[in-house]
Amino acid sequence: MKIVFVINNLYTVGNGLSKSVRRTIQALREKGMEVRVLSAGQSDSGEKPFYQLKNETIPVFAGVISKQGYKFAKTDKRIIEQAVSWADIIHLEEPFALEIAVCKIADKQKKPCVATYHLHPENLFASVYLERSKWFNYMTMLVWRNTVFNHCRMIQCPTENVRQRLERWRFQAELRVISNGITAESCNPVVRKHSKTGTIHILSVGRFSREKDQDTLLNAMKYIKQADRIQLHFAGKGPTEHHLKKKAAFLYHAGILKKKPVFGFYSQEKLRELFAVSDLYIHSAIVEVEGMSCMEAVCTGIVPIIATGKLAATSQFTDNENSLYPAGDAKTLAARIDYWIEHPAERIAEAQKYIGIEKRYLFENTIRQTIRMYEDTCSIYRSGMKRVEENIENRNGGI
């Protein structure tokens, strides 16, 4: 099977979408699939996509887009036609201008498309303070649906939360819930290192951006009874980093926190060292399609506290009410943190429940389900084309 992945830039760093696609492509090749990529950019090692596009610069928003870990490609009809002509199936990873152009050419060449739904409109607009704008988000979803997703036979929905939203929007494609997946290596046990000084280590992993809402975790420190015991760790990078560091410094210098919060962009090895010392993991995102960074942390044996909301799918990883709070509610988050600090024996016992829960989301299952999605799409497409040809023959025979 010949598959073309379409993504604006496969090689961006700090972007979970690109990382997920690179991992999927490698796994499919290991399964014997022929995979090529239509994309702009190249890796630090010099690797280039088979069908390479030029980078696109968007005036005014270029800085914000870059800080979010995104890059866009210029559409090139000639190169797109080459990619589509070669493919048996096209896998779209975004709903932007490049994918719109690919859909038009795929329709002309009668090639089937599938897509993965990686982000909500609100993910885009949060950086420019428009995530609550019903008009902008409604119109964006309408455009995405009509110009990209409705041209696909099937759509991979990372969570049931996403599937239900697309169903409410009456997407025409078949909607399949397939997790982005977590690798077995990411789930290796860690040797836990509990603090001997009484320090409570709290970890938050994710891009520093408004929709990830690390602000609420910092705001919660003002309401916590034992804030002087807390050591905050923020792992990531992004456009709100300066703002978050400034707010964290204020809490420290005001004496609310006795230990200065630590910020960093870490390797997987360093992250696992943080997992080993962390007592609580906070996932505060108000807009989240899946939240695999949360899974990577908690499956090593950390109690999570996760924001809930209609666009926050990460709450699927726990059903303990003491580990859930309404997104953006700093006081309730503080109360949840206080609870787990005040009940250390219960916290340690609760943490054990999360070890092994990643088995439902293992990446090897994701690849198997993805290949099945390709096979079913091609089978349905061939059946449909055969019926079209038979109808044409019948009409011609009747003339």
Side-chain angles (χ1 to χ4, degrees):
M1 188 180 296
K2 296 185 291 187
I3 308 156
V4 164
F5 275 76
V6 181
I7 180 171
N8 276 266
N9 194 303
L10 183 65
Y11 308 102
T12 53
V13 178
N15 181 339
L17 191 160
S18 298
K19 178 182 177 181
S20 174
V21 177
R22 290 194 298 269
R23 187 178 59 177
T24 300
I25 289 170
Q26 179 182 346
L28 288 171
R29 285 172 174 163
E30 290 172 354
K31 293 289 185 181
M33 302 287 174
E34 291 186 76
V35 182
R36 293 180 180 179
V37 179
L38 173 65
S39 171
Q42 67 179 49
S43 69
D44 292 338
S45 63
E47 178 188 346
K48 298 179 181 180
F50 193 95
Y51 302 105
Q52 188 175 30
L53 300 166
K54 294 180 179 179
N55 288 311
E56 177 71 278
T57 300
I58 300 177
V60 182
F61 297 107
V64 173
I65 292 169
S66 178
K67 287 180 179 179
Q68 288 281 18
Y70 289 103
K71 292 182 180 178
F72 288 93
K74 289 185 177 180
T75 58
D76 185 315
K77 185 178 179 181
R78 179 183 60 83
I79 295 176
I80 293 173
E81 287 177 340
Q82 290 175 358
V84 173
S85 296
W86 176 82
D88 292 321
I89 191 166
I90 298 103
H91 193 145
L92 308 173
E93 295 289 346
E94 299 152 327
F96 302 135
L98 172 60
E99 286 76 17
I100 293 172
V102 169
C103 285
K104 290 178 180 177
I105 292 172
D107 285 348
K108 288 181 181 178
Q109 294 193 18
K110 295 180 169 46
K111 294 292 182 77
C113 294
V114 299
T116 300
Y117 189 92
H118 280 293
L119 72 164
H120 294 301
E122 291 82 355
N123 285 106
L124 296 181
F125 291 125
S127 294
V128 289
Y129 297 84
L130 290 172
E131 74 276 11
R132 298 185 186 278
S133 169
K134 292 184 179 180
W135 188 89
F136 272 98
N137 291 299
Y138 178 90
M139 293 304 298
T140 300
M141 183 67 103
L142 192 65
V143 169
W144 287 1
R145 185 193 68 181
N146 293 347
T147 62
V148 176
F149 292 113
N150 277 357
H151 291 264
C152 298
R153 300 278 166 169
M154 295 187 188
I155 299 173
Q156 175 192 351
C157 304
T159 57
E160 177 62 20
N161 177 284
V162 168
R163 190 199 68 79
Q164 290 177 5
R165 188 181 198 195
L166 302 192
E167 188 176 62
R168 289 194 298 270
W169 266 88
R170 301 174 187 251
F171 277 47
Q172 294 177 2
E174 180 182 336
L175 306 174
R176 292 197 177 183
V177 178
I178 304 174
S179 169
N180 285 311
I182 183 171
T183 62
E185 295 76 20
S186 299
C187 309
N188 289 334
V190 299
V191 179
R192 303 222 60 80
K193 300 176 182 178
H194 295 293
S195 172
K196 296 179 181 180
T197 62
T199 299
I200 298 295
H201 291 271
I202 296 179
L203 174 64
S204 175
V205 180
R207 190 173 68 255
F208 300 145
S209 58
R210 291 189 68 250
E211 77 274 16
K212 300 300 182 182
D213 197 30
Q214 292 94 347
D215 262 302
T216 294
L217 174 54
L218 289 170
N219 290 338
M221 295 300 106
K222 293 179 287 187
Y223 307 107
I224 289 178
K225 298 174 186 175
Q226 301 184 56
D228 59 324
R229 295 178 59 193
I230 290 174
Q231 174 66 71
L232 290 175
H233 300 271
F234 292 92
K237 65 178 184 177
T240 63
E241 182 170 353
H242 176 72
H243 162 77
L244 293 171
K245 286 181 175 179
K246 186 176 179 180
K247 177 175 278 192
F250 170 80
L251 292 171
Y252 176 68
H253 292 301
I256 296 171
L257 292 175
K258 301 300 183 184
K259 305 175 191 305
K260 191 174 183 179
V262 178
F263 291 78
F265 183 68
Y266 304 112
S267 65
Q268 192 64 32
E269 182 180 353
K270 178 60 179 176
L271 266 180
R272 291 183 65 76
E273 291 178 12
L274 285 174
F275 295 163
V277 302
S278 297
D279 300 291
L280 293 170
Y281 176 89
I282 312 298
H283 202 86
S284 51
I286 58 176
V287 183
E288 190 74 271
V289 166
E290 187 168 22
M292 295 311 296
S293 60
C294 179
M295 171 58 72
E296 288 184 356
V298 302
C299 74
T300 65
I302 310 173
V303 172
I305 303 177
I306 303 171
T308 62
K310 68 176 184 178
L311 296 180
T314 314
S315 57
Q316 67 176 325
F317 297 141
T318 184
D319 58 3
N320 190 319
E321 64 179 15
N322 291 310
S323 284
L324 297 169
Y325 75 98
D329 187 338
K331 288 186 178 181
T332 302
L333 173 56
R336 300 291 186 257
I337 293 172
D338 277 333
Y339 178 85
W340 290 118
I341 290 175
E342 292 166 358
H343 298 81
E346 186 178 341
R347 185 179 74 242
I348 292 170
E350 178 72 10
Q352 296 302 305
K353 297 178 182 178
Y354 295 96
I355 296 175
I357 66 169
E358 76 284 349
K359 292 177 182 177
R360 288 175 289 171
Y361 307 94
L362 280 176
F363 184 58
E364 60 186 55
N365 297 331
T366 296
I367 292 302
R368 184 169 60 251
Q369 292 170 315
T370 300
I371 292 173
R372 180 64 182 270
M373 179 175 68
Y374 294 154
E375 292 171 345
D376 290 349
T377 295
C378 288
S379 177
I380 292 169
Y381 184 76
R382 285 193 296 267
S383 298
M385 291 302 296
K386 184 177 180 181
R387 285 196 297 272
V388 170
E389 291 170 357
E390 288 174 349
N391 289 338
I392 291 173
E393 288 178 4
N394 291 336
R395 287 200 300 270
N396 290 341
I399 293 176

